[in-house]
Amino acid sequence: MLLRTDPFRELDRLTQQFLGTTGTWSRPTPMPLDAYRAGDEYVICFDLPGVDPEAIDIDVERNVLTVKAERRPRQQGEDVQWELSERPLGVFSRQVVLADTLDPDGITAEYDEGVLTLRIPVAEKARPRKVAVARSGTRHQLQA
């Protein structure tokens, strides 16, 4: 699996954090992720604490997986006076280029305790298999 990299992404994140700016739909803030292989699937976990699951959008187009989410300010009463607000709000996005060995049609998504977990199965054609060795005069066959 290949991840789309942007050398300026971390600089943008630090700048946004320093200036207190929020992500917009045209310039979203990147979200942190972990990715690993577990058996016959890849697992990608995105940190999205405080995001309503209804505000998460997942798309796959030409092997590019795009995850977008929006964290909106919580509605407070009129008599609330903010003293401190450090949690970032706005739009978050991340793109991952999926290898041809993965099956994008089999992606499943689960959101629990602020973590979005995507499971992407390895395509059948990419799974390891044994090749049987035949005796002389017979054909070699693949075994699944």
Side-chain angles (χ1 to χ4, degrees), residues 1-136:
M1 177 168 62
L2 300 174
L3 300 178
R4 178 170 290 176
T5 58
D6 180 356
F8 299 104
R9 184 174 293 236
E10 186 64 15
L11 183 61
D12 285 346
R13 185 189 67 77
L14 291 172
T15 302
Q16 287 175 344
Q17 186 177 14
F18 178 72
L19 297 176
T21 58
T22 60
T24 63
W25 283 104
S26 62
R27 189 159 178 83
T29 302
M31 65 188 86
L33 67 81
D34 291 333
Y36 58 91
R37 182 172 178 165
D40 286 335
E41 67 183 4
Y42 271 93
V43 180
I44 306 175
C45 301
F46 298 89
D47 275 352
L48 294 171
V51 172
D52 183 347
E54 298 292 320
I56 299 173
D57 185 40
I58 304 168
D59 290 314
V60 179
E61 184 177 342
R62 297 186 198 177
N63 284 6
V64 176
L65 171 73
T66 302
V67 177
K68 278 192 173 186
E70 184 174 11
R71 183 174 25 222
R72 298 179 181 114
R74 293 189 178 215
Q75 297 296 332
Q76 304 292 331
E78 292 181 20
D79 60 341
V80 172
Q81 182 178 357
W82 284 94
E83 299 294 330
L84 182 63
S85 178
E86 292 182 344
R87 296 183 309 153
L89 302 174
V91 180
F92 301 85
S93 179
R94 194 71 185 257
Q95 287 188 321
V96 177
V97 178
L98 303 177
D100 291 335
T101 57
L102 299 178
D103 178 13
D105 294 330
I107 295 175
T108 60
E110 178 183 317
Y111 184 74
D112 185 39
E113 296 184 5
V115 177
L116 173 66
T117 302
L118 302 181
R119 296 182 182 282
I120 310 164
V122 173
E124 188 67 37
K125 67 181 180 183
R127 293 185 184 165
R129 54 194 165 278
K130 298 278 185 185
V131 176
V133 178
R135 293 188 179 266
S136 180

